[in-house]
Amino acid sequence: MSTNPSTNVSPLLEVTDLAVDYRNGRRSFRAVKGVSFTLECGRTLGLVGESGSGKSTIGRAILGLAPVSSGSVRFRGEELATMKRARRRELSNQIQVIFQDPYSSLDITKTIGYTLAEPLNHHERLTREQTLKRIREMVRRVGLPEESIHRYPAQFSGGQRQRIAIARALIGNPKFVVCDEPVSALDLSIQAEVMNLLAELQKSMGLALLFISHDLSVVRHISDDLVVLKNGLAVEHGRADDIYANAEHPYTRSLLAASPVPDPQAQAERRRARQAAAIGSHARTPSLERI
């Protein structure tokens, strides 16, 4: 299913009937069960679901960090699931990731400048002056002072570290970025700042984003399209505006009802509606005495 069926442009990313199994000895568990979607250049697809829904597993499968049991994952027409390691390394400058916890993904023994220089040194032949210029430009673009490049991760706040992680992911000018819960560990005010930064960078750089989150309200203003996941299955898939306006699946409606809104009165009404629904469901369930 194309995220933009009105065009004939080949998608940047095609995920078809993706299944992922995790094994523990002789036992296996299917974490993703035949999920399909496409993502085009310059667009954002939100993968949304509760913990255990399979959303992060899909991101890891695309990145080559989780096994693909069946199905297909194609980037610019090339199959990623069976791609040789050397070719995968060549594509690493085009496919990047921003993780939930920037502190654990940054080398605490290296300065920010060293961390940002690594992908440039690996993929591009630049002089020291050219590398330093790119690093300074990228640091400014994510809203940090230039002198940050001489400091270490421990000297920054959580929001600042996530800006550094964004800078590292984007400094090589990738085409596609997996954002795996990139703001869930941040305070609400900082979340908004980082989301606005990502939206601005996506627009200016023409990025395609796969934005993974458990919170529909977080992805609301950045996603063009949504895939709602439950227990490894895609239960709803479509344009973000359409789903927010008229969600079809009960699970999607429950996620929407659980999302916080800035209006206290509207939030209270949502809470009462959820409580009423829970009471009604309980009343319809036969008690042990009646069985």
Side-chain angles (χ1 to χ4, degrees), residues 96-99 102 105-106 116 138 141-142 159-172 174 177 179 182-183 186 193-195 197-199 201-202 205 207:
Q96 280 293 319
V97 59
I98 302 167
F99 290 108
S105 66
L106 296 173
L116 296 183
M138 196 69 243
R141 292 187 76 173
V142 299
Q160 290 172 326
R161 286 197 290 265
Q162 194 59 288
R163 289 173 184 266
I164 295 165
I166 292 170
R168 181 182 58 183
L170 303 187
I171 196 167
V177 181
C179 304
V183 298
L186 305 177
E193 292 178 6
V194 173
M195 291 293 291
L197 173 64
L198 281 170
L201 291 170
Q202 186 215 17
M205 299 179 70
L207 297 168

Side-chain angles (χ1 to χ4, degrees), residues 197-272:
L197 173 64
L198 281 170
E200 176 188 329
L201 291 170
Q202 186 215 17
K203 184 177 181 180
S204 63
M205 299 179 70
L207 297 168
L209 301 181
L210 182 69
F211 200 99
I212 299 168
S213 178
H214 65 277
D215 190 344
L216 270 171
S217 65
V218 168
V219 300
R220 180 165 197 163
H221 300 294
I222 197 171
S223 296
D224 299 297
D225 308 279
L226 286 176
V227 176
V228 181
L229 297 161
K230 182 180 183 183
N231 298 328
L233 293 169
V235 297
E236 193 150 4
H237 182 189
R239 300 296 181 104
D241 290 342
D242 294 340
I243 290 177
Y244 281 109
N246 187 28
E248 296 180 357
H249 197 276
Y251 178 68
T252 307
R253 292 197 292 269
S254 71
L255 289 179
L256 286 169
S259 299
V261 293
D263 184 346
Q265 184 176 352
Q267 184 68 20
E269 290 175 357
R270 283 190 174 193
R271 184 164 54 250
R272 285 194 293 270

